[in-house]
Amino acid sequence: METHKELFNKIEEVEKYFSTGSIKYGQKALKALNNEIKLLKKIPNKLKHKHNFVLAQSRYFNDISSFAVEPKRDKLIKEIKELSGSEIDPKKKSQIIHAIQTQWQKLDHSSRPATKKQWKAFKEEIDKAWEPCAEFFNELDRIKEKNALQRKELIKKINIYVNSELINKSSSDIYKFSKFIFSEWQKYSPVRDEDFHDLKKEFNEARSPIIKALSQYEEKHALTKKELIQKVTQLNSDDNKVNLKNFMMLKQSFMKIPSAGKNEKKLWNQFNKAGDKFFEIEKNKKIEKITVINKMID
């Protein structure tokens, strides 16, 4: 048990908190002190007077705090009451309710808790405002559950496709299936948070063989397109029109080859750049002809 001297020191500590404006810490220290004083069988008069003095200070600060905070609480009750009768989107309404609740909690932490009457009025209005939001979120939860079931069905479809059809399909067919599945997957959103990561993992694992097959096809297509680019660089007929004709034929072949994936744009630019010299030659020939004609006119 604390000695009387230690209790006097703790009272002085409380007074110090109050005098420096640290009311919250002072009230906390006083609460602990009150519990210790209750354990004393006999309280010396000097200690009793000193304790009563800080108790009076505490009540004063509580009254001041309540005087400052009560209008703020009344304002929050009014705000939530107005909100319950409004036609705001349920999702947005739920966010506003949460913000008002947070403000109320902050007032409880920074001052004396609300009276029973205030708390009852606030809770009643909160419950009333939340009713349409609860219906919205219950319906949303049902939708999320259905979406999760649909996504599981898509994963089954992918597994069937991989196990029975993938080996016989062309890159174009595989790409179409992959695009279709991804589009369907996006359609069945959102899902519950607890389902999201597991479903995503299963989806990626199921698609892995498809992505791998597409990647192998794209590498093969990239190699074929590189060979065509090499052929363009080797065109060297003395007749530039022959070079242009062969270039356009190679271009048609290039365009018939399916996509090379992430390298497609780069290879397309390389192909066209390799053939630019033939168009440049024709351009220069035209410029020369125009120059000759202009001289003849002069």
Side-chain angles (χ1 to χ4, degrees):
M1 188 179 287
E2 300 279 359
T3 65
H4 293 166
K5 186 178 178 182
E6 288 171 334
L7 291 172
F8 273 112
N9 290 336
K10 289 191 174 183
I11 290 174
E12 287 176 1
E13 185 183 3
V14 172
E15 288 180 324
K16 186 178 179 182
Y17 277 130
F18 286 160
S19 64
T20 56
S22 301
I23 311 302
K24 188 177 177 180
Y25 291 106
Q27 300 282 30
K28 190 176 179 181
L30 179 58
K31 188 177 179 181
L33 176 67
N34 291 340
N35 292 332
E36 292 176 16
I37 287 179
K38 283 177 185 177
L39 298 174
L40 294 177
K41 291 181 180 178
K42 189 177 180 181
I43 306 173
N45 285 333
K46 191 174 180 182
L47 179 61
K48 188 186 288 186
H49 291 315
K50 193 96 170 163
H51 182 230
N52 285 337
F53 176 74
V54 290
L55 283 175
Q57 282 186 303
S58 172
R59 284 193 291 270
Y60 170 75
F61 289 126
N62 278 335
D63 291 340
I64 291 294
S65 174
S66 296
F67 180 77
V69 169
E70 277 189 22
K72 293 180 182 178
R73 287 199 176 101
D74 290 337
K75 185 183 175 185
L76 291 177
I77 292 170
K78 185 181 177 184
E79 284 180 16
I80 201 72
K81 191 172 184 178
E82 290 172 353
L83 184 67
S84 61
S86 65
E87 297 295 326
I88 301 174
D89 172 73
K91 188 174 181 180
K92 188 177 180 182
K93 184 181 279 191
S94 70
Q95 293 170 346
I96 298 171
I97 291 171
H98 178 69
I100 292 174
Q101 285 177 315
T102 302
Q103 291 178 59
W104 185 276
Q105 288 165 3
K106 284 180 179 177
L107 291 176
D108 277 349
H109 291 149
S110 62
S111 64
R112 179 187 281 184
T115 62
K116 276 188 178 182
K117 185 180 177 182
Q118 278 184 316
W119 168 242
K120 186 181 177 184
F122 181 71
K123 191 175 183 307
E124 283 176 358
E125 295 302 334
I126 283 284
D127 291 343
K128 198 183 294 182
W130 179 253
E131 280 178 12
C133 300
E135 291 174 12
F136 168 78
F137 283 107
N138 287 337
E139 178 60 26
L140 181 61
D141 191 61
R142 285 192 287 272
I143 291 169
K144 286 180 177 180
E145 189 178 7
K146 286 181 182 178
N147 286 340
L149 292 173
Q150 292 291 344
R151 285 191 166 188
K152 284 177 182 177
E153 287 300 314
L154 286 176
I155 292 168
K156 285 181 186 177
K157 281 185 181 179
I158 297 169
N159 287 327
I160 292 169
Y161 183 86
V162 167
N163 294 327
S164 61
E165 300 181 46
L166 181 61
I167 195 167
N168 299 317
K169 296 294 182 180
S170 67
S171 63
S172 178
D173 289 336
I174 296 172
Y175 176 76
K176 284 176 184 176
F177 178 79
S178 179
K179 188 177 180 182
F180 163 75
I181 285 293
F182 187 76
S183 175
E184 289 294 295
W185 183 266
Q186 295 291 89
K187 188 190 296 182
Y188 298 117
S189 177
V191 295
R192 290 170 177 167
D193 291 343
E194 58 265 30
D195 294 331
F196 177 80
H197 293 292
D198 289 340
L199 286 170
K200 186 179 179 183
K201 184 182 177 183
E202 289 177 35
F203 180 68
N204 289 336
E205 286 174 354
R207 285 177 73 225
S208 180
I210 293 174
I211 301 300
K212 186 178 178 181
L214 279 175
S215 180
Q216 289 172 344
Y217 270 118
E218 286 169 355
E219 286 176 12
K220 183 181 175 182
H221 298 155
L223 188 62
T224 306
K225 291 186 176 187
K226 284 177 183 177
E227 289 172 356
L228 289 179
I229 293 169
Q230 186 65 27
K231 285 182 179 180
V232 173
T233 61
Q234 292 171 352
L235 294 174
N236 59 355
S237 173
D238 292 336
D239 187 345
N240 190 58
K241 289 190 181 297
V242 173
N243 289 331
L244 266 176
K245 183 181 177 182
N246 290 332
F247 171 74
M248 294 307 294
M249 289 172 64
L250 289 170
K251 191 169 189 176
Q252 287 179 2
S253 299
F254 188 101
M255 293 169 69
K256 287 178 183 177
I257 301 168
S259 172
K262 62 182 179 181
N263 292 314
E264 180 64 27
K265 188 175 180 180
K266 181 182 176 183
L267 291 169
W268 175 249
N269 290 337
Q270 286 178 355
F271 182 85
N272 285 306
K273 191 174 181 181
D276 282 347
K277 60 184 178 181
F278 307 124
F279 292 97
E280 194 66 30
I281 290 170
E282 288 301 307
K283 182 181 175 182
N284 289 335
K285 281 183 180 179
K286 286 181 181 178
I287 292 171
E288 286 176 8
K289 284 181 181 179
I290 291 170
T291 303
V292 171
I293 290 170
N294 286 334
K295 282 183 180 180
M296 291 176 67
I297 292 170
D298 291 341

